[in-house]
Amino acid sequence: MIGGAGKPSTRRPAIQLQIKTILNRIQHYVGFVYQDIRFTAEEGSQGGIAIRLEPHRGIRGRCSECRRPAPGYDRLEERRWGHVPLWGIPTWFLYAPRRVQCPQHGVVVEDLPWNEGKRSLTTVMMGFLARWGRRLSWRETAEVFQTSWEAVYRSVEWFVQWGLAHRELQGVESLGVDEIHWGHGLRANNFLTVIYQIDACCRRLLWVGKGRSQRTLRRGLKALGTTVVQGLRFVCSDMWKPYLDVMAAQAGQALHVLDRFHITLHLNQAVDHVRRGESSRLRAAGKSAAQQLKHMRWTLLRRGSRVRGRARQKLKALLTSKLQTARAWELKETFAHFWSYRSVSWAEAFLYAWCGRAMHSRLEPMKKVARMLRAHEPLLLNWFRAKGEISTGAVEGLNNKIRVMTRRSYGFRTYEAMEIALYHTLGRLPEPELTHRFC
Ligand SMILES: [Zn+2]
């Protein structure tokens, strides 16, 4: 209490603040004491803060295998761990670990609560870097906290591995499965298979792996475990055959739903296909109508109600034309009604009528979509049976986040690093508990 007017007796004496006081307050390790803290300023360097720890006298070291107290054996050389920097000054923990003689495990190094294996950072520092590594790029994190990219990567990796080992998979009822293109080229290795949880209560990335074959998905499901797979009620995916086959074989009890956004994607691709074909035909023939298709790609791909301003006028003009693209667009736009039905049988009737129109459109890309929809009709109608049970926009939303991460190069140098980063940002993983929240 400061300056309690008229009541000087309640005033506490001011104490000299020591770094040790702060350390004991925010991260006290039972069995160890902060011995001394020194500022070491070597010539030509900005210096650093060295925090030396010692064993608490009278408390025995614990075996690092079983965590039980054991008699001391000897002491090893002093080790050094990078710690959270103070005011931008590099900070280290220094400690000479004891070896203990455990009745069960023999002579082993003692358990150090701030240490994880042979790592050169304290667990607190690793958690600190990992949390910042979610807000900034890893390179920026390394720069800001005067460490290496590698150190940030290894910290995130530790954080993620801890999270994966401690996450709860109970109550996962709905999965979204999708493929994501990654890197350059169209080889199998340029695709990732992602498995999301898309329950209304929790949307997160559960698994990611290279490839998009049956084997890839089987690997993913195996990682989630049979309890999860057999407890599934809904699965949501594109019409990609390997995924459909694996899910039917392994989670036959679950209702397989074709995602709205994937269907829309196929329709958009078909419209674009028609536009490109028509545009080059018109240009080749020197027809002025080619002008109407110029710069229309993105306008045509949007939902009609979302096209505004000049683009809208251009679109209107295009639609009054007799162009194939106009008819293709109109078919795509009409299909949007499909999703608004409440009754499965009405939706079914609509689908039948729409496919009939598309098949008579003389537009091959639209006919192709119609054939595809017909072939998957039961799965398509499952969408209405699952309505309200799964969050249908989830797959698209999570995909977009992944694309942002993989495209905007965050400087993941390897696939493994990117995988870690995806779990880190989208996995909603539990975090190791620390006694103090540094950031
Ligand atoms: Zn032991």
Side-chain angles (χ1 to χ4, degrees), residues 62-68 70 100-106 108:
R62 286 167 185 271
C63 164
S64 51
E65 300 280 333
C66 62
R67 305 266 162 96
R68 275 194 283 253
V100 295
Q101 193 151 27
C102 174
Q104 205 185 332
H105 299 100
V108 289

